[in-house]
Amino acid sequence: MDLRASYQQTAHQLSGHGKRNIGVLQQAFAEVDPNEASDHYGTGEMIERFEQKMAQTLGTADAIFFPSGTMAQQIALRIWADETDDRRVAYHPLCHLEIHEQDGLKKLHHLEPILIGESDRLMTFEEVQALPDVACLLIELPQRELGGYLPPFTELEAISRHCRERGIRLHLDGARLFETLPYYEKTAEEVCALFDSVYVSFYKGIGGIAGAILAGPKPFCDEARIWKRRYGGDLIGLYPYIIPANYYYELRKDRMETYYEQAKQLAHRFNAIDGVWTTPDVPVTNMFHLHVEGEYEAVAARMQAVQDETGIGVSGYLVPHEGYCSTEISVGDAVGEIEAAQLDLVFDRLS
């Protein structure tokens, strides 16, 4: 049995909200009126009601439900580029558009990304100040590929002011926006007020099936709806995604502080083990990267032995580096279902 198979067979996991199976969909639909009308090619009371709700939550003039964040964000940057007639956009070297989308932004929209900052840290305000003229700057909160780091809110405010003074549109990759709010001690509306457009995911910390919201000014959203149709994003019915998005948003939006506190507790316990550490050392959201000293085969065998013995899944994958391996922990409902004695056993066996 390999590490992934070992993880999948555990009864509980440290990450997420539990196993993603058909039950996740069934739970969301359990109390839905079977006679309620579905959306139809992007229109209808169901989708429009949810879009209006999210626009109000984010403090934007309008919002659009998309089947994927990849689609939503490429469209957002295209709209800002067309508005300014500038094909250049800026973002961090580990931005999702740069490393996970097969150059979609370049191939489909012929935009020219300018990478800002270094791959081992957040971009700085000074680096933003040094940017040439660009149509749009994208900032991801939190920076997932770095372990969930967040810039100080005062720095975000400074970046926002600078971009507005220079006519640079500021877009928020807020896939995990709600997870940042406990650390910032801000509302979603207060964070989004710094940005011209924002994307939010409903399958990450929220734990829905799929789907995203793209929000911003009314003219921006009007244009985004046209692009959504061009992309084939107006499926005949998006309700299999909208209903779970709304259900799990309501279920979990007020649990983010609990996840954040649990992540800090877990990281503290991992950092107490020799040859094990986390980044950030003290998490600023519900996620962090876990690092274990040793070569891949040895670390994988160690991790698998812990999982097989305790029935608690730590991780189903490892990324090898020189002298150590890494994985990601993202806390949700699942960790709260683990008895204290069982959790103690995990850390005892890892030590």
Side-chain angles (χ1 to χ4, degrees):
M1 185 187 302
D2 62 15
L3 183 62
R4 180 171 179 78
S6 166
Y7 181 79
Q8 290 175 334
Q9 291 190 16
T10 56
H12 301 283
Q13 293 85 32
L14 298 185
S15 288
H17 301 296
K19 295 181 178 179
R20 289 184 63 85
N21 51 31
I22 300 301
V24 176
L25 188 62
Q26 290 176 322
Q27 181 179 337
F29 275 81
E31 297 183 6
V32 175
D33 180 356
N35 296 311
E36 183 176 357
S38 72
D39 59 299
H40 185 71
Y41 289 119
T43 63
E45 182 181 352
M46 176 180 291
I47 189 170
E48 291 164 9
R49 182 173 63 240
F50 186 65
E51 290 173 340
Q52 291 165 9
K53 173 180 175 177
M54 295 315 303
Q56 183 175 7
T57 298
L58 302 174
T60 59
D62 200 359
I64 312 160
F65 188 84
F66 276 82
S68 82
T70 296
M71 183 186 299
Q73 294 211 104
Q74 288 183 16
I75 287 171
L77 269 58
R78 171 62 184 265
I79 292 170
W80 294 136
D82 285 350
E83 179 193 69
T84 59
D85 199 26
D86 188 334
R87 312 321 290 169
R88 293 177 297 181
V89 296
Y91 48 61
H92 190 272
L94 297 182
C95 174
H96 194 282
L97 287 91
E98 185 68 16
I99 65 175
H100 290 305
E101 299 182 13
Q102 302 294 315
D103 286 337
L105 197 67
K106 305 169 191 175
K107 299 292 186 181
L108 297 176
H109 299 288
H110 307 290
L111 298 187
E112 177 189 342
I114 295 176
L115 305 184
I116 176 171
E118 302 294 334
S119 59
D120 60 352
R121 59 167 175 81
L122 297 172
M123 70 176 71
T124 66
F125 177 52
E126 290 72 23
E127 287 169 330
V128 173
Q129 288 179 303
L131 272 175
D133 289 336
V134 295
C136 179
L137 169 64
L138 178 152
I139 294 180
E140 179 188 3
L141 301 178
Q143 193 84 48
R144 186 261 180 110
E145 299 291 341
L146 293 178
Y149 280 101
L150 286 168
F153 198 76
T154 53
E155 184 163 306
L156 282 179
E157 291 176 316
I159 291 173
S160 178
R161 286 193 299 269
H162 177 77
C163 287
R164 285 174 180 168
E165 289 168 0
R166 291 186 55 189
I168 297 172
R169 294 298 191 176
L170 190 59
H171 173 75
L172 172 58
D173 179 341
R176 297 167 176 82
L177 168 65
F178 300 111
E179 293 91 314
T180 72
L181 303 183
Y183 177 76
Y184 279 143
E185 297 182 329
K186 304 290 184 182
T187 64
E189 183 175 355
E190 288 173 319
V191 176
C192 293
L194 303 179
F195 295 83
D196 295 292
S197 56
V198 56
Y199 142 69
V200 179
S201 171
F202 288 96
Y203 76 86
K204 297 180 172 69
I206 297 299
I209 303 302
I213 279 286
L214 181 63
K218 189 69 167 59
F220 168 88
C221 289
D222 288 343
E223 185 67 15
R225 283 190 169 89
I226 295 171
W227 275 106
K228 181 186 175 188
R229 178 60 61 92
R230 289 169 176 159
Y231 261 72
D234 276 332
L235 308 185
I236 187 172
L238 286 166
Y239 68 95
Y241 309 114
I242 297 168
I243 289 173
N246 186 55
Y247 174 83
Y248 287 110
Y249 169 73
E250 290 296 334
L251 183 69
R252 294 180 174 132
K253 63 183 173 66
D254 296 324
R255 298 181 183 178
M256 295 301 168
E257 187 164 1
T258 297
Y259 303 153
Y260 170 45
E261 294 299 328
Q262 290 171 328
K264 289 191 287 185
Q265 293 165 12
L266 287 177
H268 177 75
R269 299 187 72 173
F270 278 121
N271 283 307
I273 302 172
D274 288 341
V276 178
W277 69 99
T278 69
T279 53
D281 178 52
V282 178
V284 293
T285 67
N286 66 319
M287 70 173 296
F288 57 87
H289 285 183
L290 174 65
H291 313 287
V292 182
E293 193 174 77
E295 299 304 317
Y296 177 85
E297 291 76 10
V299 175
R302 179 182 177 186
M303 195 81 73
Q304 182 174 332
V306 170
Q307 294 180 161
D308 292 345
E309 182 177 351
T310 66
I312 307 298
V314 179
S315 179
Y317 76 95
L318 292 168
V319 178
H321 305 280
E322 188 172 347
Y324 70 99
C325 295
S326 302
T327 191
E328 180 181 294
I329 304 293
S330 185
V331 175
D333 288 343
V335 74
E337 299 173 358
I338 303 173
E339 294 182 2
Q342 289 179 290
L343 197 56
D344 291 342
L345 189 59
V346 170
F347 288 98
D348 179 65
R349 294 296 182 265
L350 276 174
S351 299

